[in-house]
Amino acid sequence: MAAEEDWALTQSASQVQRNLERLLPAQVDQKVSELVQYLLVKDQKKIPIKRADILKNVIKDYKGVYSEIIKRAGRTLQQVFGLQVMEIDAKHHIYILVSNLPRLEGENLKQDDCTAKLGLLMVILSFLFMKGNAAKESAVWEMLRRLRVDPGVRHEVFGDVKKLVTEEFVRQKYLEYNRIPHTDPPEFEFQWGARAAKETSKMQILRFVAKVPACWEGWRGELKEGEGSDLGGA
């Protein structure tokens, strides 16, 4: 395995680019998604991540584009979950995920226990903030689907996503989930909850959004079409 690791890491940028050209973009995207899921699961269980295991269990036959997959997965973890891959053992190439998100002090959602859940919550709070502090349920689900977190499909890290967002986060007062008046069939919307407003500031959310501009580009376009935000008045 050591020889395979060395080979994967010594590919030049031009070699990696040639290898990429032999693959369909969807194939590479799938590997990136698999690696993100793998790293999140390991982090959730607080298991240090070995580079050898990444190559064996995820990269497999895609070692020729290892560096590109790692780079894209790292970018996704940073942009979506506020997580950074950090090496803690340079000799044996062992990694952990470290959160770069603003710290929420609530006793029900501690950062060291629920890093991935915190990342999901921050993404939703940021989205609501950019939508003027409220958004229809359907808009929130669509946003999560874009990030490959489908509320209708059980997630390996989050479990029942819809239940987590509409029940757990609501019960913990991080979100409010209310029916929109005079809608038939009934429609619901999310708003910031009292705990979220108390434990994190809109300036922290602005800094979070500023770190991940690519993630929000499409949503900024939506805002220009008429759904206002109070970004200017934060």
Side-chain angles (χ1 to χ4, degrees):
M1 178 57 70
E4 291 184 0
E5 285 187 60
D6 292 341
W7 179 84
L9 294 172
T10 55
Q11 297 283 290
S12 67
S14 59
Q15 286 175 313
V16 172
Q17 184 58 41
R18 285 195 296 271
N19 293 335
L20 278 173
E21 291 170 358
R22 299 188 187 105
L23 298 168
L24 293 174
Q27 292 177 298
V28 181
D29 290 343
Q30 178 63 33
K31 275 295 163 187
V32 171
S33 180
E34 288 176 11
L35 180 55
V36 168
Q37 295 289 327
Y38 180 80
L39 295 175
L40 284 174
V41 169
K42 289 288 189 182
D43 180 67
Q44 189 77 354
K45 296 177 180 178
K46 300 303 175 190
I47 300 173
I49 306 153
K50 297 179 181 179
R51 189 175 69 193
D53 289 339
I54 292 175
L55 286 166
K56 177 183 178 181
N57 298 319
V58 183
I59 303 299
K60 299 180 181 177
D61 296 333
Y62 289 74
K63 294 182 177 68
V65 291
Y66 169 83
S67 60
E68 183 66 19
I69 292 171
I70 291 289
K71 182 174 70 176
R72 293 186 192 181
R75 188 163 59 228
T76 297
L77 287 166
Q78 176 75 41
Q79 293 178 344
V80 178
F81 297 102
L83 295 169
Q84 179 180 352
V85 182
M86 180 172 291
E87 188 172 43
I88 59 170
D89 185 336
K91 181 179 179 180
H92 299 100
H93 304 295
I94 297 175
Y95 306 89
I96 59 172
L97 300 185
V98 178
S99 177
N100 293 328
L101 294 172
R103 179 174 293 276
L104 298 180
E105 302 298 340
E107 58 187 37
N108 289 327
L109 190 66
K110 294 182 179 177
Q111 187 174 14
D112 54 353
D113 294 335
C114 304
T115 303
K117 285 185 180 180
L118 177 62
L120 182 68
L121 175 62
M122 287 298 295
V123 166
I124 294 172
L125 289 176
S126 301
F127 181 71
L128 295 179
F129 177 61
M130 294 186 70
K131 288 287 194 179
N133 293 332
K136 288 184 178 181
E137 177 183 19
S138 57
V140 173
W141 298 149
E142 177 59 28
M143 176 272 293
L144 292 180
R145 287 189 190 97
R146 294 184 191 182
L147 302 180
R148 300 182 182 179
V149 179
D150 191 329
V153 177
R154 186 168 184 83
H155 193 275
E156 191 170 6
V157 176
F158 304 123
D160 187 330
V161 177
K162 190 169 185 179
K163 185 176 181 180
L164 171 65
V165 176
T166 62
E167 296 183 22
E168 186 172 331
F169 288 166
V170 171
R171 185 173 62 252
Q172 294 166 343
K173 303 299 182 183
Y174 285 108
L175 296 173
E176 289 185 9
Y177 179 60
N178 300 311
R179 179 177 175 176
I180 301 173
H182 314 300
T183 54
D184 187 18
E187 293 184 49
F188 293 81
E189 70 175 6
F190 288 101
Q191 294 178 311
W192 273 43
R195 184 186 293 273
K198 181 179 179 181
E199 292 181 2
T200 190
S201 70
K202 293 185 177 180
M203 188 55 67
Q204 285 178 311
I205 291 294
L206 277 173
R207 285 198 289 266
F208 177 70
V209 172
K211 289 180 180 178
V212 292
C215 219
W216 314 105
E217 201 57 45
W219 305 341
R220 288 198 182 102
E222 292 175 8
L223 291 173
K224 292 176 183 177
E225 295 174 3
E227 292 196 39
S229 163
D230 66 351
L231 280 169

